[in-house]
Each structure stands twice: as structure tokens, then as C-alpha cells.
Amino acid sequence: MKSKHFVFAVFISILMLGCKPDKKLSTQEANTLPADFIAFYEKFHRDSVFQMAHIQFPLDGLPSQADSTMTGLYKYTPENWTFQTLKGFNETDFTRRFESPIPELVNESIIQKGVGFGTYRRFYKRSGEWKLIYYSDVNKISEK
């Protein structure tokens, strides 16, 4: 079972670092998000310097294939962070979900269809700037 998780983790890594053009947010996704978040989100995935400046380090989260005992213990740092892109993202194999319970908070899940594994990120707007405040690498996620 662990080997399937490892293969999926490698697949997601390739997906996130692939060479296809960036995938823009769909109209439906864009309509559910704060207007200034969309421009931030697109630049966050294009510009590595901008991305690093918009992550709240040390960043709480979970590494790939985390077990339940790791909750709240893992911290990403600039030294162990991997640049995040959306190159290669496709809606055929993956579902991307956004939730914005308040205008200053956006939760995002990217889940491989039929498998139930994916990534989860949380962005928060403070002092007029969006920042990534939580990141869970490839782990089990409910497909709802």
C-alpha cells in the first residue's frame, strides 16, 4: 500500500513541476473567490520570488503520506520548500475545489479523481496581502 502512495506522490510532484502551460481558473472557480485572490493565485504559481515572499514561514502542514500522529508537528521552511506550479494540471484526472468561508480566507484542495489523494492549501489575507498559511502535501482527502 505504501508503494502506491509513493507512486502517487511522485505523480503529483511531476504534475506540479510539469511542462504544460499554466491552467487558468475556470469561470465557475473565479466566481466563488475574492477578486484580488485570482491575480495573486496566478502570480503565486508563476513567480518563485513572489511565492517565497507570500508564504508564512515556518509554514504549518503535513508532508506527503503523513500519518495521524504528525498532525500539527510538521513545519515547512524556505530550505525544504519546493516551488509550487499548476503546470500540467488537468480537470480530467484531478478535481480542484475552492472554499472561501470569509473574504480573507481561501481553502483549496486538488484531488486525484477516484483515488482520494491530493494536496490541501490554505491562504489568508492579512494587511492587504495574501499568504499561504498551511500546506498539506499528498495525503488522503475526502472527495465529497
Side-chain angles (χ1 to χ4, degrees), residues 95 97 111-117 140-144:
T95 299
R97 267 193 332 243
I111 305 166
Q112 186 176 13
K113 292 179 180 176
V115 177
F117 282 83
K140 185 79 173 155
I141 296 179
S142 170
E143 294 189 60
K144 289 185 190 175

Side-chain angles (χ1 to χ4, degrees), residues 8-88:
F8 181 71
V10 170
F11 179 73
I12 283 288
S13 297
I14 291 168
L15 168 78
M16 298 300 270
L17 299 172
C19 57
K20 293 181 183 175
D22 283 351
K23 175 79 172 134
K24 298 279 186 188
L25 294 177
S26 71
T27 303
Q28 182 179 5
E29 290 170 329
N31 287 339
T32 65
L33 298 170
D36 63 337
F37 179 79
I38 298 164
F40 158 79
Y41 185 86
E42 290 173 356
K43 187 170 183 179
F44 185 86
H45 293 97
R46 279 193 324 265
D47 183 334
S48 62
V49 174
F50 180 85
Q51 186 173 114
M52 294 301 284
H54 289 85
I55 298 174
Q56 181 179 299
F57 288 115
L59 179 64
D60 289 334
L62 293 172
S64 181
Q65 301 182 44
D67 64 38
S68 62
T69 63
M70 297 187 80
T71 303
L73 299 176
Y74 195 79
K75 303 278 187 190
Y76 288 92
T77 64
E79 295 76 28
N80 70 5
W81 184 251
T82 301
F83 178 60
Q84 306 272 302
T85 72
L86 291 177
K87 292 181 180 181

Side-chain angles (χ1 to χ4, degrees), residues 126-142:
R126 180 179 302 141
S127 302
E129 286 195 326
W130 286 99
K131 290 209 174 212
L132 178 64
I133 61 167
Y134 182 86
Y135 175 70
S136 173
D137 204 343
V138 180
N139 285 288
K140 185 79 173 155
I141 296 179
S142 170

Side-chain angles (χ1 to χ4, degrees), residues 101-119:
I102 59 172
E104 298 81 20
L105 181 67
V106 174
N107 300 316
E108 174 193 33
S109 301
I110 298 176
I111 305 166
Q112 186 176 13
K113 292 179 180 176
V115 177
F117 282 83
T119 61

